């Protein structure tokens, strides 16, 4: 075990995959000599050469679209979108092709691909760099969507996503790349997709979150504890597959829930969570389910972004409202 | 080092003239059994077009896009490939090329009938599925060619698209990447004059799509797309170039869409009948027929017999497809994932219950 940041964990998983499986090819803008703009691929081109870690033209659609062809040829491509917000430039390839290529070829051409994409706010980036667009991809049948919250999970989930025969969008919280740091095994290991993680037990309420928002949920739960409440945190780890069993059990155990995410509110993933909770655990609810998300506005410029991304205060307020209902 | 030929946008390559005679000094590489196979494929394409149209009108087939007018562009390019190792990445108007690669006519008919089984590619049939999202297949072809070469193969990938799809960003991104990586791909741009009702002059201001090749640092060829020999010649050169590691080629096949865009389209609303008649005189089948007749290889009775044989082949195929069981609710769920999420499996169970 060693302490690793999330970016080191991602790099470690990529290095393991390139070493383990010669079919694996990493491709994207700046992934080679530069080692990625966040250094996720640092040193990999030196280790594995420019044909395994491939610098690409500035063109998201062909980064993803050529990865479809690489997969058809029998390789396991790992394309990187420099930011999830730029994924819109490739959305027709991701939603229209990657997600449904297995289906539209009736199993002839599986897509064992992992699209990596940093996302998320509070880091004062220019427009479109911070958008949390995960819900658009959840609504793309055929795709899996994985969103780790810890360095240990980032490595294990990425290792599993690369082994998974289905295409995976792997969203990495750029705010957490260096801030999130925990104990990570140095050897190759996997964390299964679709198994939520109980971050913190609680008997009064559970906050359901994923990715960097899990950290916000933990802080909010600590604050609620100071006020005498026992608040748990459930980290979903992946949105597709969704761990419905864990969600049901967590809510049924305490009867109150707040769902939390960085994407905007309307038709965000929180709406799916609330709908699922009422289907699965309606009779155990003691209060309306709280929903904390970004507002239904474009992601704003840096001076006001902290007012937009769900803060600890907003989560605490939602927790309090649910507990006092 | 560079094998990029210069191109003259004013003069498409023509080796078999509309009257069925060869250009001065040309000795066709396509001859003997291969030539007869190509002729048969062109005739079959027209039989398939006519019969599919009729079946669609009877409600026995869904939407269908005829190849009519583009037979030489499709067949000439496909006959430049080695189906055992080379790949075809189609759009949706290239059935003769798919059939040459080993795709079955029965599967094509399943596809047109909306049966998912029509899109399953048997191992060894080097074809990607039909592409409806125009131009999305072009990056796939580049990645496929790159991936095959990466694994030591000398395979070449031939990708088809049209003048309309050439306006999509994917076409640009794919040709640019292909140039950068010098991947073994042949881009066959069938300029058939129309994107549904949009004429090519409203699609682009360029005098020649082939001229765009220079902007990508790749080879370009402008070809009379109604000339079987010219298409085969230019594409054979492109395939050889790709196989030798000299990179991609953009082949502009200048042809004409003689039929409607598809079975839902009424081209009388926008096609000038005089222009259509002018193109009828350039029919790609007619000039091969004239050539083969002059060579003494075919005559009217033998062609009639061949058409009858192809029609019987089609009728047997549609009978086989119509006799098959229609797909059930499982077909909605099968092959979406290899490892489906549990909630999708629950939906599958519900669907089974709903349909009794």
């Amino acid at each position: 075990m060693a302490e690793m940041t999330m970016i080191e964990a991602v790099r470690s998983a990529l290095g393991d995959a390139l070493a383990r499986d010669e079919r694996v090819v990493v491709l994207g803008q700046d992934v080679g000599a530069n080692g990625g703009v966040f250094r996720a691929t640092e040193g990999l081109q030196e280790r594995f050469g420019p044909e395994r870690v491939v610098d690409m033209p500035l063109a998201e659609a062909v980064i993803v679209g050529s990865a479809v062809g690489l997969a058809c040829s029998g390789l396991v491509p790992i394309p990187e979108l420099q930011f999830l917000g730029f994924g819109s430039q490739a959305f027709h390839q991701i939603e229209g092709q990657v997600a449904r290529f297995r289906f539209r070829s009736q199993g002839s051409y599986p897509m064992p691909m992992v699209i990596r994409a940093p996302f998320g706010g509070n880091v004062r980036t220019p427009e479109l760099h911070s958008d949390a667009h995960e819900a658009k991809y959840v609504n793309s049948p055929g795709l899996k969507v994985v969103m780790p919250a810890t360095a240990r999970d980032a490595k294990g989930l990425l290792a599993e996503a690369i082994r998974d025969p289905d295409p995976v969008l792997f969203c990495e919280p750029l705010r957490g790349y260096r801030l999130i740091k925990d104990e990570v095994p140095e050897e190759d290991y996997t964390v299964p997709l679709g198994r939520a993680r109980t971050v913190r037990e609680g008997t009064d309420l559970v906050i359901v979150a994923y990715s960097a928002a899990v950290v916000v949920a933990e802080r909010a739960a600590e604050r609620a504890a100071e006020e005498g409440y026992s608040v748990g945190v459930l980290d979903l780890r992946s949105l597709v597959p969704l761990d419905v069993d864990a969600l049901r059990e967590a809510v049924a155990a305490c009867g109150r829930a707040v769902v939390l995410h960085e994407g905007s509110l309307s038709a965000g993933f929180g709406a799916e969570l609330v709908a699922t909770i009422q289907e699965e655990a309606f009779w155990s609810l003691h209060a309306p389910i709280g929903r904390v998300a970004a507002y239904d506005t474009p992601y704003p410029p840096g001076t006001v972004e902290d007012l937009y991304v769900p803060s600890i205060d907003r989560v605490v307020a939602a927790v309090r409202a649910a507990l006092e209902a | 080092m560079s094998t990029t030929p210069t191109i003259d946008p004013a003069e498409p390559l023509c080796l078999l003239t509309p009257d069925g005679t060869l250009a001065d000094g040309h000795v066709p590489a396509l001859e003997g059994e291969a030539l007869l196979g190509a002729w048969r494929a062109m005739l079959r394409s027209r039989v398939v077009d006519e019969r599919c149209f009729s079946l669609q009108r009877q409600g026995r087939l869904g939407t269908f896009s005829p190849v009519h007018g583009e037979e030489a562009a499709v067949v000439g390019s496909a006959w430049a490939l080695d189906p055992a190792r080379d790949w075809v990445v189609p759009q949706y108007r290239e059935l003769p090329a798919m059939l040459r690669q080993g795709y079955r006519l029965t599967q094509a008919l399943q596809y047109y009938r909306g049966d998912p089984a029509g899109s399953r590619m048997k191992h060894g049939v080097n074809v990607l599925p039909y592409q409806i999202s125009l131009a999305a297949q072009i990056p796939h072809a580049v990645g496929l060619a790159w991936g095959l070469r990466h694994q030591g193969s000398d395979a070449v990938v031939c990708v088809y698209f049209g003048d309309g799809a050439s306006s999509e960003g994917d076409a640009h991104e794919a040709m640019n990447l292909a140039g950068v990586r010098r991947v073994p791909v042949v881009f066959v741009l069938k300029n058939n004059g129309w994107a549904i009702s949009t004429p090519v002059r409203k699609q682009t201001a360029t005098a020649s799509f082939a001229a765009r090749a220079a902007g990508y640092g790749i080879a370009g060829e402008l070809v009379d797309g109604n000339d079987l020999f010219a298409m085969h010649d230019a594409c054979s050169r492109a395939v050889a170039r790709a196989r030798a590691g000299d990179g991609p080629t953009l082949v502009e096949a200048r042809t004409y869409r003689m039929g409607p865009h598809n079975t839902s389209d009424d081209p009388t609303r926008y096609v000038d009948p005089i222009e259509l008649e002018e193109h009828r005189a350039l029919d790609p089948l007619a000039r091969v027929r004239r050539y083969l007749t002059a060579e003494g290889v075919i005559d009217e009775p033998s062609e009639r017999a061949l058409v009858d044989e192809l029609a019987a082949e089609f009728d047997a195929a549609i009978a086989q497809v119509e006799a098959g069981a229609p797909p059930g609710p499982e077909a909605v769920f099968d092959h979406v994932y290899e490892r489906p999420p549990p909630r999708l499996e629950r939906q599958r169970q519900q669907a089974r219950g709903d349909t009794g």
Side-chain angles (χ1 to χ4, degrees):
Chain A
M1 282 289 205
E3 188 160 87
M4 282 191 203
T5 60
M6 180 166 278
I7 197 79
E8 288 166 343
V10 166
R11 190 187 307 141
S12 174
L14 291 172
D16 288 348
L18 283 158
R20 180 184 67 242
D21 186 346
E22 64 176 14
R23 298 172 306 153
V24 170
V25 174
V26 169
L27 60 152
Q29 291 164 55
D30 305 306
V31 299
N34 195 34
V37 291
F38 294 103
R39 308 291 174 257
T41 53
E42 189 166 47
L44 296 180
Q45 194 178 64
E46 285 98 315
R47 253 178 94 190
F48 299 101
E51 294 299 316
R52 304 277 317 276
V53 181
V54 184
D55 282 312
M56 292 287 281
L58 192 163
E60 286 80 7
V62 84
I63 290 173
V64 175
S66 65
V68 170
L70 291 171
C72 290
S73 82
L75 297 174
V76 177
I78 309 181
E80 177 183 295
L81 294 174
Q82 207 155 62
F83 295 90
L84 185 61
F86 301 160
S88 302
Q89 308 272 50
F91 191 71
H92 64 292
Q93 283 290 347
I94 300 172
E95 187 274 336
Q97 305 296 323
V98 173
R100 61 182 82 193
F101 219 87
R102 167 183 284 280
F103 182 71
R104 57 189 298 273
S105 67
Q106 293 291 290
S108 310
Y109 300 110
M111 282 290 122
M113 177 190 307
V114 179
I115 303 169
R116 294 182 40 251
F119 83 104
N122 301 117
V123 287
R124 308 290 179 265
T125 60
E127 211 174 352
L128 282 165
H129 288 64
S130 291
D131 290 54
H133 283 166
E134 66 275 12
K136 299 186 206 309
Y137 296 96
V138 170
N139 208 336
S140 302
L143 197 64
K144 293 175 178 175
V145 180
V146 178
M147 309 199 67
T150 67
R152 187 191 172 97
D153 276 357
K155 181 173 173 180
L157 288 168
L158 181 53
E160 177 62 20
I162 295 167
R163 288 172 170 88
D164 195 282
D166 297 311
V168 175
L169 176 70
F170 194 84
C171 300
E172 300 163 7
L174 62 95
R175 177 170 84 235
Y177 266 153
R178 286 177 176 75
L179 286 177
I180 292 173
K181 192 186 285 190
D182 46 88
E183 291 291 314
V184 177
E186 284 173 68
E187 71 274 13
D188 191 12
Y189 65 94
T190 60
V191 171
L193 307 187
R195 301 257 183 86
R197 177 178 67 103
T198 300
V199 181
R200 182 187 168 104
E201 303 274 359
T203 52
D204 295 327
L205 180 145
V206 62
I207 305 172
V208 182
Y210 49 89
S211 193
V214 170
V215 179
V216 175
E218 286 183 79
R219 299 288 171 274
E222 286 161 16
R223 289 257 298 274
E226 290 164 15
E227 296 175 23
Y229 296 116
S230 169
V231 172
V233 175
L234 184 71
D235 169 12
L236 292 174
R237 283 176 162 158
S238 60
L239 312 188
V240 183
L242 177 64
D243 191 346
V244 175
D245 293 339
L247 185 62
R248 179 198 315 110
E249 284 158 24
V251 176
C254 56
R256 287 181 166 85
V258 166
V259 301
L260 165 64
H261 56 72
E262 283 196 33
S264 50
L265 182 81
S266 295
F269 194 69
E272 184 58 44
L273 290 173
V274 171
T276 304
I277 292 169
Q278 75 82 22
E279 284 169 354
E280 299 284 334
F282 181 80
W283 300 108
S284 57
L285 287 174
H286 305 313
I289 304 159
R291 196 151 58 120
V292 185
Y295 302 114
D296 288 338
T297 68
Y299 196 101
T303 55
V304 286
E305 71 174 318
D306 292 347
L307 303 173
Y308 166 88
V309 177
S311 62
I312 297 167
D313 286 344
R314 280 169 64 193
V315 179
V316 170
V319 167
R320 215 179 274 132
L323 287 167
E324 292 167 2
Chain B
M1 175 69 191
S2 172
T3 57
T4 306
T6 53
I7 51 162
D8 178 354
E11 282 302 321
L13 177 70
C14 180
L15 300 174
L16 182 64
T17 62
D19 64 9
T21 56
L22 293 173
D24 285 349
H26 180 65
V27 180
L30 196 55
E31 55 169 4
E33 284 304 308
L35 175 57
L36 282 177
W39 164 243
R40 181 189 173 95
M42 292 171 79
L43 264 186
R44 176 202 270 149
S45 180
R46 211 153 275 187
V47 168
V48 170
D49 279 358
E50 285 165 10
R51 281 189 143 56
C52 284
F53 233 85
S54 162
L55 288 174
Q56 193 276 342
R57 293 294 187 253
Q58 297 166 47
R60 293 162 66 189
L61 219 61
T63 305
F64 174 78
S65 291
V67 182
H68 192 176
E70 303 172 29
E71 293 90 347
V74 175
V75 171
S77 51
W79 257 250
L81 302 171
D82 171 8
R85 57 179 160 169
D86 297 331
W87 285 71
V88 162
V89 178
Q91 196 163 278
Y92 51 73
R93 213 188 290 279
E94 295 86 20
L95 180 61
M98 296 169 75
L99 294 175
R100 171 132 199 280
Q101 295 289 109
Y103 183 67
R104 306 294 293 267
L105 180 59
T106 46
Q107 281 197 283
L109 294 172
Q110 284 176 312
Y111 177 81
Y112 300 137
R113 283 167 60 84
D115 182 339
S119 298
R120 185 175 302 128
M121 296 299 162
K122 290 197 175 67
H123 186 71
V125 175
N126 297 336
V127 181
L128 296 192
Y130 292 92
Q131 183 57 257
I132 300 303
S133 179
L134 292 187
Q137 76 277 17
I138 315 174
H140 304 168
V142 172
L144 176 60
W146 163 13
L148 292 167
R149 191 187 55 178
H150 179 91
Q151 292 166 92
S153 163
D154 67 350
V156 174
V157 176
C158 179
V159 57
Y160 294 92
F161 55 106
D163 45 303
S166 80
S167 295
E168 292 276 6
D170 275 3
H172 162 67
E173 292 191 24
M175 287 192 275
N176 180 58
L177 176 65
V180 169
R181 296 200 59 82
R182 295 181 77 78
V183 300
V185 65
V186 180
F187 300 103
V188 177
L189 190 165
K190 287 185 297 162
N191 173 4
N192 71 8
W194 298 97
I196 306 188
S197 68
T198 305
V200 70
R201 68 179 179 279
K202 290 185 181 171
Q203 200 69 246
T204 180
T206 189
S208 157
F209 290 101
R212 289 185 185 172
Y216 299 114
I218 67 176
E221 301 255 12
L222 176 61
V223 183
D224 178 345
N226 286 13
D227 176 346
L228 179 70
F229 290 161
M231 279 304 296
H232 181 259
D233 184 72
C235 291
S236 296
R237 245 190 331 275
V239 167
R241 202 179 285 133
R243 215 178 306 282
D246 290 331
T249 303
L250 170 59
V251 178
E252 176 184 354
R254 196 164 286 174
T255 178
Y256 199 81
R257 196 192 76 203
M258 294 302 295
H261 164 67
N262 64 21
T263 40
S264 304
D265 180 35
D266 174 11
T268 63
R269 294 170 63 87
Y270 56 83
V271 172
D272 176 358
I274 296 168
E275 183 182 305
L276 190 64
E277 278 315 305
E278 285 169 3
H279 282 279
R280 208 176 295 284
L282 304 173
D283 184 273
L285 263 72
R287 59 176 97 175
V288 179
R289 178 182 296 119
R290 289 180 190 124
Y291 173 76
L292 289 176
T293 304
E295 293 285 301
V297 179
I298 62 167
D299 55 19
E300 261 188 56
S302 72
E303 181 176 337
R304 221 175 301 121
L306 181 53
V307 168
D308 288 347
E309 181 193 328
L310 293 167
E313 172 196 273
F314 182 95
D315 293 344
I318 191 68
Q320 184 188 331
V321 167
E322 289 186 326
E330 302 295 336
V332 176
F333 298 91
D334 285 345
H335 305 299
V336 178
Y337 295 89
E338 185 165 325
R339 296 182 193 164
R343 67 173 4 189
L344 183 59
E345 286 303 278
R346 272 173 65 171
Q347 292 166 36
R348 185 198 283 267
Q349 298 296 339
Q350 282 167 1
R352 281 179 186 146
D354 291 345
T355 53

